[in-house]
Amino acid sequence: MSIHGVIDRLAVGIGAKFMPKYFREGFESPPLEEHLRNVRIEMPEIEGVGDYELKAATLAGDLNPAFRLAQWLGTEYPAVIYHHGAAETPFDYGFKRIFPYRKEKIEANLFLVRAPFHRNMKDFQNGIRTLNNVAAMLAVSVTLIEELVQYNRQAGAGKVLVAGTSLGGFITNLHHIFFNSADVYTPLLAGLAMDDAYLNSVYSMATDLKARENPEAIKEVLNFESGFASKDNSNVFPLLAVHDRLICHERQKTSYGDLAVEEINKGHTTGALAYRELREHVLKQLQ
């Protein structure tokens, strides 16, 4: 195992000892399509740069997403809508480093989506207690991204790109599957077999044992390969890390079928910290 893989295993192992487990209170959920049909988000008027707290009605009750308009240069510029990773608190930690717009010139309007259960770590730990909650979280983020895509369309903005890392990368792919209203998708360190991360990767240490003993229930809700395979995926540009032990490289590369996948010589942890490589991969698609 490479040093990148060792770091992944250590990071997850330490966290799994102290954090409550995924799906510890239930691993049953309606399909993601049903969750999506039942999401209702109260969108505010967007009045310039700032954070916007929202309420979303879902099959799991009222949830608490948010988004940030970080930079607005004008409608003549493309838009990047970015989604953070799981348990990333503060939710803008990676975003500010991938897109250091206050230090470098990034010629794009920049939006950041905060998933439900990501106000703080206690919020996250409470949210992951059931598969139903996690599925509702995914559905809310996908729906909120669609609201922001349509905002940019109505504003007359140019190209719209959706990107995300890890959890955000899976959500990027889900938006492509269910809406495909953006021009370009750049999922980072993610694929279509989200179930594999919870069941078979080192991340499975963070999953409740009873859930792992019922893999079909998890796969039915969190595997998106068939939906992706049925689409035209020519506007999707994935990036995977060769030594990733959470989002396992070979498994997730296979999940993309024949689609070309760019690779970096990192693991999941070190890949998420490879801000320059992630930034270059995303911004290359805006050219």
Side-chain angles (χ1 to χ4, degrees), residues 3 21 44 152 167 169 186 265 267 273:
I3 185 61
K21 297 290 193 284
N152 280 280
L167 169 68
T186 56
N265 194 37
L273 297 173

Side-chain angles (χ1 to χ4, degrees), residues 268-283:
H268 196 79
T269 307
T270 53
L273 297 173
Y275 304 122
R276 179 180 58 81
E277 290 95 327
L278 300 181
R279 176 169 61 255
E280 289 175 352
H281 180 77
V282 172
L283 297 183

Side-chain angles (χ1 to χ4, degrees), residues 90-101:
F91 74 106
D92 62 355
Y93 184 85
F95 173 82
K96 292 191 296 186
R97 290 158 176 80
I98 297 171
F99 306 104
Y101 57 94

Side-chain angles (χ1 to χ4, degrees), residues 19-27 122-131 206-211:
M19 280 188 57
K21 297 290 193 284
Y22 277 92
F23 319 138
R24 62 192 181 274
E25 294 182 18
F27 47 85
K122 183 178 179 181
D123 190 29
F124 176 76
Q125 292 172 356
N126 180 59
I128 63 171
R129 69 186 188 276
T130 67
L131 178 59
T207 302
D208 185 77
L209 177 59
K210 288 184 179 178

Side-chain angles (χ1 to χ4, degrees), residues 117-281:
F117 309 126
H118 281 81
R119 289 178 299 187
N120 51 54
M121 188 54 65
K122 183 178 179 181
D123 190 29
F124 176 76
Q125 292 172 356
N126 180 59
I128 63 171
R129 69 186 188 276
T130 67
L131 178 59
N132 190 53
N133 276 2
V134 171
M137 174 186 71
L138 297 174
V140 168
S141 285
V142 171
T143 303
L144 178 50
I145 289 171
E146 176 60 13
E147 293 282 357
L148 294 175
V149 170
Q150 294 308 319
Y151 169 79
N152 280 280
R153 297 297 188 208
Q154 293 165 16
K159 180 184 290 186
V160 178
L161 180 149
V162 176
T165 303
S166 193
L167 169 68
F170 285 108
I171 288 168
T172 297
N173 282 328
L174 284 170
H175 187 272
H176 166 68
I177 291 169
F178 288 104
F179 290 100
N180 198 31
S181 54
D183 298 292
V184 186
Y185 293 86
T186 56
L188 310 169
L189 312 182
L192 285 310
M194 193 175 187
D195 58 312
D196 185 74
Y198 294 116
L199 296 171
N200 302 313
S201 78
V202 298
Y203 202 52
S204 66
M205 289 188 283
T207 302
D208 185 77
L209 177 59
K210 288 184 179 178
R212 282 185 277 141
E213 291 173 343
N214 290 270
E216 289 305 315
I218 308 300
K219 183 176 181 179
E220 186 174 348
V221 178
L222 297 181
N223 186 282
F224 318 123
E225 289 173 281
S226 62
F228 190 82
S230 68
K231 304 296 181 182
D232 175 1
N233 302 312
S234 57
N235 61 342
V236 182
F237 300 89
L239 180 144
L240 291 172
V242 174
H243 305 289
D244 198 326
R245 305 297 294 173
L246 282 75
I247 310 301
C248 297
H249 172 261
E250 287 304 319
R251 177 68 183 93
Q252 301 300 336
K253 185 176 182 179
T254 300
S255 77
Y256 282 111
D258 295 331
L259 190 67
V261 175
E262 191 163 323
E263 299 172 342
I264 55 174
N265 194 37
K266 302 285 186 180
H268 196 79
T269 307
T270 53
L273 297 173
Y275 304 122
R276 179 180 58 81
E277 290 95 327
L278 300 181
R279 176 169 61 255
E280 289 175 352
H281 180 77

